[in-house]
Amino acid sequence: MSARRLFQCGVILGAATALVVVGCGQERPQAGSGPVLAGGSSIAPFAPASVRVHPLTHIDTSGPAPIIVLHFEARDRYGDTVKALGLLQVELLRQEGGLSPGIESLQRSWELRGMLEADENAARFDIATRTYRVPLSGPDWLKSWRESDGGEDAGGEFLRLRLVYETTAADGGRLYLDDEYLLGR
């Protein structure tokens, strides 16, 4: 290889190295706001900021007792699905008929403290759907409600699930995330 060719290769290699070194030294701007440490890095940038009951949630009446299969997801401030330890509280509300139409009554509530434990929390996370999958034992009347035509005696067309997930905020405090979902027949 000639000296001129070696010089050209050296110049190109040197310029490429300089671009890589300069590019790596620049900091990317951080989106969103949040607590920042002295070195400039965020505290828990991917902490949950919202929770949503997923449309995969359904009533399963194929077994001996009805089950509400709850699917929910926690999302960070960027909208990405995240795992989060927390206390899960769920309520099942049924529309009243008769003298007070439109009023809902609490039919059943569940509190799952196991979601605070890392192993149980991870076991309930469904990787394929990126949701937590939580089976909840339903009341006995749920099977007949689902199979009914939705008349006045059936207790309305929809049941409402209310979910509250108590977890840790980005600043280390307590954060209460909630959502509601209508279960149809």
Side-chain angles (χ1 to χ4, degrees):
M1 192 180 253
S2 70
R4 179 182 165 114
R5 186 79 172 141
L6 279 173
F7 177 75
Q8 288 174 343
C9 289
V11 169
I12 292 172
L13 184 60
T17 304
L19 285 174
V20 169
V21 169
V22 169
C24 290
Q26 294 178 349
E27 280 191 44
R28 292 176 31 171
Q30 293 182 357
S33 62
V36 177
L37 295 173
S41 62
S42 294
I43 300 172
F46 305 114
S50 66
V51 71
R52 175 179 83 122
V53 178
H54 196 276
L56 287 173
T57 299
H58 64 281
I59 299 169
D60 182 4
T61 57
S62 62
I67 295 173
I68 299 171
V69 182
L70 170 66
H71 284 264
F72 75 96
E73 61 187 358
R75 292 183 173 248
D76 64 14
R77 66 183 178 184
Y78 301 103
D80 296 323
T81 305
V82 295
K83 291 181 184 177
L85 298 178
L87 172 63
L88 175 64
Q89 299 170 347
V90 182
E91 295 177 342
L92 177 65
L93 302 160
R94 184 177 186 179
Q95 186 176 4
E96 293 291 328
L99 296 175
S100 54
I103 302 295
E104 295 177 328
S105 64
L106 178 64
Q107 297 295 309
R108 180 156 299 172
S109 62
W110 301 266
E111 183 174 278
L112 284 85
R113 294 192 170 277
M115 296 292 288
L116 290 164
E117 303 297 325
D119 290 338
E120 184 172 338
N121 185 292
R124 291 186 184 273
F125 192 78
D126 181 23
I127 294 173
T129 62
R130 306 235 1 113
T131 65
Y132 286 104
R133 183 182 188 280
V134 182
L136 304 167
S137 61
D140 294 333
W141 56 262
L142 197 56
K143 187 171 187 172
S144 62
W145 175 85
R146 187 159 184 242
E147 294 169 354
S148 71
D149 63 357
E152 202 171 298
D153 294 337
E157 188 68 27
F158 297 99
L159 298 174
R160 183 181 311 275
L161 275 181
R162 183 179 300 142
L163 177 144
V164 176
Y165 200 63
E166 181 184 343
T167 187
T168 304
D171 64 1
R174 301 307 302 157
L175 180 64
Y176 297 91
L177 306 172
D178 65 320
D179 193 22
E180 291 185 352
Y181 185 77
L182 294 177
L183 280 169
R185 294 185 202 285

